[in-house]
Amino acid sequence: MVQFQGNFTQLTDIDPILTDIFYQEYTRELGSGGVMALFRVGRSQKAKETDLKVGSFKDPVLFTGKVQYTDAKANYEVEYDFDEWVNGFQITRQMRDDMQYEGIFASASEMGTSFARKRRKDAASVFNNATSASFVGYDVKALAANDHPRSKAD
């Protein structure tokens, strides 16, 4: 027989607890440094965000009594597409009937560790692939390239 959530009313009572355990472990694993210290992480409710980068200015010139003003031209449009990552575990009727809450809570904690580990790997990949032409930025150059253009026209 297929089991529906309605058959497990007692499990819905522990769902907020499992969520809390997940996020406690996730936050503990990431810590205050690491990923958060290296990257500015914003929040978004959108499926896609867009930034418009401003081109850089030419080098300054020696002051001769008059300031030469330069316009900043619109430059690269950068799109951020957000992926959704999922993982899950099942709680069996037997676990619930036998009150194996320690195992259930441990699974939620390990799930938090799993997501934090994925985030750390993604952060490290930025530096691990910094010289690879297969992983380019918005200017179509590797992160560690020494010939980044200052603008589209450069």
Side-chain angles (χ1 to χ4, degrees), residues 85-145:
W85 298 93
V86 297
N87 206 346
F89 65 93
Q90 294 181 342
I91 300 171
T92 65
R93 177 184 285 277
Q94 190 175 26
M95 290 175 77
R96 183 198 54 122
D97 289 346
D98 294 343
M99 292 193 246
Q100 297 178 2
Y101 296 117
E102 187 174 321
I104 294 170
F105 296 159
S107 295
S109 179
E110 288 300 319
M111 187 69 63
T113 301
S114 170
F115 274 81
R117 185 174 54 241
K118 169 70 173 130
R119 192 158 178 192
R120 282 195 309 268
K121 286 179 182 178
D122 288 349
S125 75
V126 171
F127 300 103
N128 292 337
N129 298 310
T131 58
S132 173
S134 299
F135 297 90
V136 296
Y138 65 88
D139 61 355
V140 196
K141 296 287 185 178
L143 179 64

Side-chain angles (χ1 to χ4, degrees), residues 2-23:
V2 176
Q3 299 294 327
F4 296 98
Q5 185 173 351
N7 299 93
F8 291 98
T9 54
Q10 293 91 341
L11 290 181
T12 59
D13 293 339
I14 67 168
D15 183 51
I17 296 168
L18 296 179
T19 302
D20 284 347
I21 291 170
F22 170 88
Y23 280 111

Side-chain angles (χ1 to χ4, degrees), residues 11-103:
L11 290 181
T12 59
D13 293 339
I14 67 168
D15 183 51
I17 296 168
L18 296 179
T19 302
D20 284 347
I21 291 170
F22 170 88
Y23 280 111
Q24 285 173 5
E25 184 63 20
Y26 177 75
T27 305
R28 188 190 70 73
E29 281 288 323
L30 285 180
S32 59
V35 175
M36 303 312 237
L38 294 174
F39 299 97
R40 181 178 61 89
V41 179
R43 295 193 177 273
S44 175
Q45 298 296 324
K46 299 178 183 179
K48 177 178 76 173
E49 292 279 353
T50 306
D51 277 342
L52 185 61
K53 298 295 180 190
V54 176
S56 65
F57 297 102
K58 64 182 182 179
D59 290 340
V61 295
L62 184 63
F63 181 67
T64 59
K66 183 177 177 185
V67 176
Q68 297 179 5
Y69 293 98
T70 307
D71 290 334
K73 306 247 185 290
N75 200 357
Y76 295 100
E77 186 173 296
V78 182
E79 286 188 5
Y80 307 95
D81 293 313
F82 305 107
D83 296 323
E84 292 184 58
W85 298 93
V86 297
N87 206 346
F89 65 93
Q90 294 181 342
I91 300 171
T92 65
R93 177 184 285 277
Q94 190 175 26
M95 290 175 77
R96 183 198 54 122
D97 289 346
D98 294 343
M99 292 193 246
Q100 297 178 2
Y101 296 117
E102 187 174 321

